[in-house]
Amino acid sequence: MNPRAVVRSLRAPTGAVLLALPLGAAALGPLFADVPAAGLAAPYAARDGEHLLGTDALGRDVLALLLHGGRSALGMALGAVVLAYLVGGTAGLLAASARRRWLDELLIRPLDVLLPLPTLLVISVVAVGWRGSPVAIALAVAAVNVPPVARLVRAAALDAASSPVAEALRLQGESWSRVQFGLVARSALGPVTADFGTRVTLAVFLVGSANFLGLGLSPTAPDWAVSIARGREGLLLQPWAVLAPALMLVLFTVGLNLLADRLLARSRPLAQRKEPAR
């Protein structure tokens, strides 16, 4: 068997396995542990029978924090990207299918205003007015992702929207929604799938950076990025306070990209998947 084929076939199951741990911790973790209170144990305590991963700088159980920190760390990033695709993807799809140039310009050009804005600057401005609000940070991350998403979807769907097949479907009396979602949106599925994995990874980085820099959640929140920021000063005393949440973020980003890469390969036409003979 071709070794490359074996590696490609393992991308999806490997990605699913890597995603299972952080997603499971984020979804089900709070059911198995309460949010630990500060001061119940010694700061930076080593692992023992009561604290399997030790304690953090505030004397809180690291494992309990790990089980509670995923919902904010991953939920804010995933919510931001989904919202960006709902807004930007719709605008890009409408722009690609616009029969008039002025409508295309009207949909895309206003979004270009946001393109040159530094992402962390936008998040910093939002954090000044809504400090500690996960919704505000998620909306800021979504806003800076809307313009590139709209441009990507427009470029990916443009050929299909102006193709003879789309025109034939319109002449046959097919509904607008069927032409758009059955043909045009489907043609953009491959690039969108690949971009979604990369964009969620970027959103995790942005949300984590905001929380790490103190622009997002409270410094005592159990969020994974906040835990990394809080535990970095005692890294040599209690490495698990930093390594455990960092490992969760790495598993999530690597697993998601492996899964997205495999889905992209499956979405390509069969002729494009065949490798030239050697």
Side-chain angles (χ1 to χ4, degrees), residues 57-224:
L58 301 178
R60 298 181 298 179
D61 184 64
V62 171
L63 180 58
L65 292 173
L66 195 69
L67 294 176
H68 280 272
R71 287 192 175 180
S72 58
L74 303 185
M76 292 165 65
L78 287 171
V81 174
V82 170
L83 181 59
Y85 264 97
L86 287 176
V87 178
T90 302
L93 192 62
L94 292 175
S97 304
R99 311 296 292 274
R100 294 174 176 82
R101 179 66 178 270
W102 65 265
L103 182 57
D104 184 3
E105 297 284 339
L106 182 64
L107 290 168
I108 295 298
R109 294 306 174 193
L111 297 177
D112 290 346
V113 177
L114 295 175
L115 278 175
L117 295 179
T119 304
L120 286 179
L121 176 61
V122 175
I123 295 176
S124 301
V125 172
V126 171
V128 170
W130 295 277
R131 193 172 187 84
S133 171
V135 176
I137 299 299
L139 289 176
V141 174
V144 298
N145 278 283
V146 165
V149 165
R151 283 188 164 274
L152 172 76
V153 173
R154 179 186 177 277
L158 195 57
D159 288 342
S162 57
S163 67
V165 178
E167 189 63 31
L169 290 174
R170 295 188 188 99
L171 293 176
Q172 290 175 7
E174 295 290 348
S175 65
W176 181 89
S177 60
R178 181 161 186 179
V179 174
Q180 297 304 311
F181 297 105
L183 174 66
V184 179
R186 189 175 180 181
S187 68
L189 187 60
V192 166
T193 301
D195 180 75
F196 186 85
T198 305
R199 200 162 296 281
V200 170
T201 301
L202 178 61
V204 169
F205 168 77
L206 291 175
V207 171
S209 298
N211 291 334
F212 184 87
L213 296 173
L215 301 175
L217 300 177
S218 167
T220 60
D223 180 86
W224 290 342

Side-chain angles (χ1 to χ4, degrees), residues 5-74:
V6 174
V7 172
R8 285 196 297 267
S9 66
L10 291 176
R11 287 176 185 172
T14 303
V17 170
L18 293 179
L19 278 175
L21 185 59
L23 288 180
L28 304 177
L31 300 178
F32 296 96
D34 297 327
V35 178
L40 297 181
Y44 297 128
R47 294 185 299 162
D48 54 29
E50 184 178 358
H51 307 289
L52 297 181
L53 294 179
T55 63
D56 69 349
L58 301 178
R60 298 181 298 179
D61 184 64
V62 171
L63 180 58
L65 292 173
L66 195 69
L67 294 176
H68 280 272
R71 287 192 175 180
S72 58
L74 303 185

